[in-house]
Amino acid sequence: MSESSSNPSKLVAAAEMPPIPDSSYEPQTSTSTLGDWGDQLPIGFLAEGVFRREIKFKPYTMAAERDLAKHRKGAVEKNPAKLTAVVIASMATEIGPYGDFQSLPFQQRLHVINQMYMGDVLYAYMLLRINALGDEVSFEVACPACEKTSRLQASLEDVDLVIPEDPYSIVRTHSLHSSIKSGKGTIKQLHLQPPRWATMTKMKVHGKVSMGSVKYELVSAAIL
């Protein structure tokens, strides 16, 4: 199937930036959990002024694993975030405005994933994990006092969500404590949106990771 037939409206992932609300606007959000929200993205793709939140995966079979292995070789060594993008690009059959996601070339699928909001990518990864292995997870936790370790059981379906009800609600206005100067003049306020996954996949993580650099990349990516 061609791209035009799988995406008849010719919608482009992340082509639309969220609108900047008036200063008096109060974000409209609701709360949910992964178990209640189910197979849809918390934010989704902004397309023609509305969120497209569709997300479906093919079954995680050995055939799917063999196909995935062709693309993920070396991804972990370069950047773990790239592996996440590779997995979702390989396994998603429908995502946002793309009704037949697997019909797109693999590199284009990766581009679509990298343009997703970070929270959506993490949510999609948890959905895939539940589909493949169930919702139960466990963690080794060390007591800060006695250093004794114990295993904590949890369910991914209990993950809390904040859902934006409209495109204006993913933008926040932040007034700076000290104004900054740029080529466009003095900046006193910033308009912020959630960073996109490309921020993670483009980070250089070889050797010792600088937390200052990580913070800089995330903040820069959030500025509209």
Side-chain angles (χ1 to χ4, degrees):
M1 183 178 291
S2 67
E3 180 183 354
S4 59
S5 59
S6 65
N7 183 15
S9 298
K10 297 182 180 180
L11 302 174
V12 179
E16 295 181 39
M17 298 295 287
I20 297 175
D22 295 333
S23 58
S24 60
Y25 180 79
E26 291 293 331
Q28 305 298 308
T29 62
S30 59
T31 59
S32 186
T33 62
L34 189 152
D36 289 334
W37 190 246
D39 294 340
Q40 54 184 332
L41 298 171
I43 302 176
F45 296 87
L46 184 59
E48 298 181 350
V50 297
F51 290 127
R52 297 290 301 272
R53 290 171 162 145
E54 298 88 343
I55 178 76
K56 292 182 181 178
F57 294 101
K58 59 186 176 183
Y60 203 115
T61 61
M62 285 305 299
E65 173 64 27
R66 288 193 295 270
D67 182 63
L68 176 58
K70 301 174 185 177
H71 301 293
R72 70 180 175 189
K73 185 177 181 181
V76 177
E77 291 80 1
K78 295 178 180 178
N79 184 331
K82 290 184 177 181
L83 175 61
T84 302
V86 165
V87 171
I88 297 175
S90 298
M91 296 298 299
T93 58
E94 179 180 353
I95 190 164
Y98 299 98
D100 187 2
F101 191 54
Q102 289 298 311
S103 70
L104 302 180
F106 184 74
Q107 289 302 317
Q108 188 170 348
R109 279 180 268 153
L110 279 181
H111 176 71
V112 170
I113 303 303
N114 281 326
Q115 292 304 307
M116 291 172 62
Y117 289 111
M118 288 176 58
D120 280 344
V121 172
L122 294 173
Y123 187 87
Y125 202 77
M126 287 188 286
L127 275 181
L128 180 58
R129 197 278 185 187
I130 291 173
N131 290 346
L133 298 172
D135 63 291
E136 294 296 326
V137 293
S138 61
F139 306 92
E140 288 289 344
V141 180
C143 174
C146 67
E147 298 184 353
K148 182 179 179 180
T149 61
S150 58
R151 184 167 291 276
L152 175 67
Q153 297 290 132
S155 170
L156 291 174
E157 292 187 344
D158 292 333
V159 172
D160 292 322
L161 304 175
V162 177
I163 313 297
E165 297 295 334
D166 58 67
Y168 291 98
S169 297
I170 61 174
V171 178
R172 298 291 187 274
T173 299
H174 176 72
S175 297
L176 297 173
H177 179 70
S178 301
S179 60
I180 57 177
K181 293 183 178 180
S182 72
K184 297 182 180 179
T186 301
I187 299 175
K188 298 181 179 181
Q189 286 186 332
L190 296 175
H191 299 293
L192 307 173
Q193 66 168 334
R196 308 209 183 242
W197 195 249
T199 308
M200 302 296 294
T201 58
K202 291 179 181 178
M203 283 186 184
K204 296 180 180 180
V205 296
H206 299 294
K208 188 175 181 180
V209 178
S210 168
M211 291 307 299
S213 297
V214 171
K215 292 177 181 178
Y216 173 81
E217 294 291 343
L218 290 174
V219 171
S220 298
I223 298 173
L224 283 168

